[in-house]
Amino acid sequence: MSCLVDYLCRKSHSVMETRLFTSLDMLKKTAEAGGIDVLLAGEEVVGEIRGLQGKIPQIMLLSEGSQVSETSEYYLLFKYQSAQNIVKEVLEQIAEDDRIHYTQHSVVGRTVDFIGVYAPFGGAGVTKYALSMAQGLSKHYKTLYVSLELFQGIQFLQDGKKGQGKEHYRGMSEVIFYLKQRKDKLSLKLESLVVSVDGLDYLITVEDYRDLYSVNCDDMCLFLKVLLHQSEYEKVVFDIGFIGDSALCLMEQCSQLYMPKPVTQSQQKKAQAFRSFLERERYQKMARNFKCVEVY
């Protein structure tokens, strides 16, 4: 438990305030004062914490897997998994629990580079370029890759849970749901949805392409605000695979915009048509910000 608390204390801009209790009496006094939203304890102390259910909204036990979740009065987490996965599971439960009220704490004075990659023509290698850029940035900065593609093209193996092979990640569909329904807990849910591979964090694309088209400018601005003020990211790379008002709002907020260089005559005409559209709709600054890049 002390190792888990050390991990939480090392996380910058954490969405949780963490306390480690070594005294049962102090734990009970704090619970009675209403100072605890979630208690995470080892299953070996379950007898000592009985009676706290009415004072603490959510009690979770770190289990060796010998108990069955359906028959336990507490939420069980498998203890032999990474601290990162334990935290994700805890955050997911907090985000879903209406008994726990979360007050957003914004970190002022932060700067985040929002970087967009988009092409108005197919076969351009947008995802390849965006991924390569994000992977390179992640070696020097805390980086998030956000897939705004219509269909998922990345598959990850599940980590940290036994008895399963591949895991189904909801990614941006879940983000959009929280943007629409539970704005106050988006930062909690966001951290539970991120997939981390080789030092880079990923938010994978929607389950249904129609989810992307349901996002309006206000939703997109809120999403960017959460990333700016309530996350630890320094660089966020957006792989933009659709066009609409929300996508244009995003592009306006990007400090850098990249477009794979058009190769064929058809691609060149579509690129020119896109730039003409931007000029016509008074997005001249955005049009100037787009840089054509080679994709190998």
Side-chain angles (χ1 to χ4, degrees), residues 127 145-154 156 168-176 193 195 202-209 211-212 239-242:
T127 296
Y145 165 85
V146 180
S147 177
L148 298 178
E149 288 281 317
L150 296 174
F151 298 99
Q152 174 61 20
I154 304 173
F156 301 100
H168 179 62
Y169 297 99
R170 292 205 64 194
M172 282 303 300
S173 283
E174 197 77 358
V175 170
I176 293 167
L193 292 171
V195 183
Y202 297 76
L203 263 179
I204 66 172
T205 197
V206 291
E207 292 180 293
D208 189 318
Y209 73 92
D211 292 345
L212 280 178
D239 179 357
I240 307 171
F242 78 111

Side-chain angles (χ1 to χ4, degrees), residues 106-163:
S106 296
V107 180
V108 296
R110 291 193 69 239
T111 58
V112 180
D113 281 337
F114 295 136
I115 303 168
V117 185
Y118 172 75
F121 44 82
V126 170
T127 296
K128 181 180 179 181
Y129 186 81
L131 270 175
S132 177
M133 177 188 294
Q135 289 163 352
L137 289 170
S138 69
K139 297 176 182 178
H140 307 284
Y141 306 95
K142 182 65 175 176
T143 304
L144 175 67
Y145 165 85
V146 180
S147 177
L148 298 178
E149 288 281 317
L150 296 174
F151 298 99
Q152 174 61 20
I154 304 173
Q155 182 67 57
F156 301 100
L157 289 177
Q158 187 175 15
D159 175 41
K161 295 181 181 179
K162 300 191 300 182

Side-chain angles (χ1 to χ4, degrees), residues 7 22 96 109 123 125 168 179-180 209 224 231:
Y7 168 81
T22 56
E96 297 290 340
H168 179 62
L179 284 169
K180 301 287 188 183
Y209 73 92
L224 297 180
S231 81

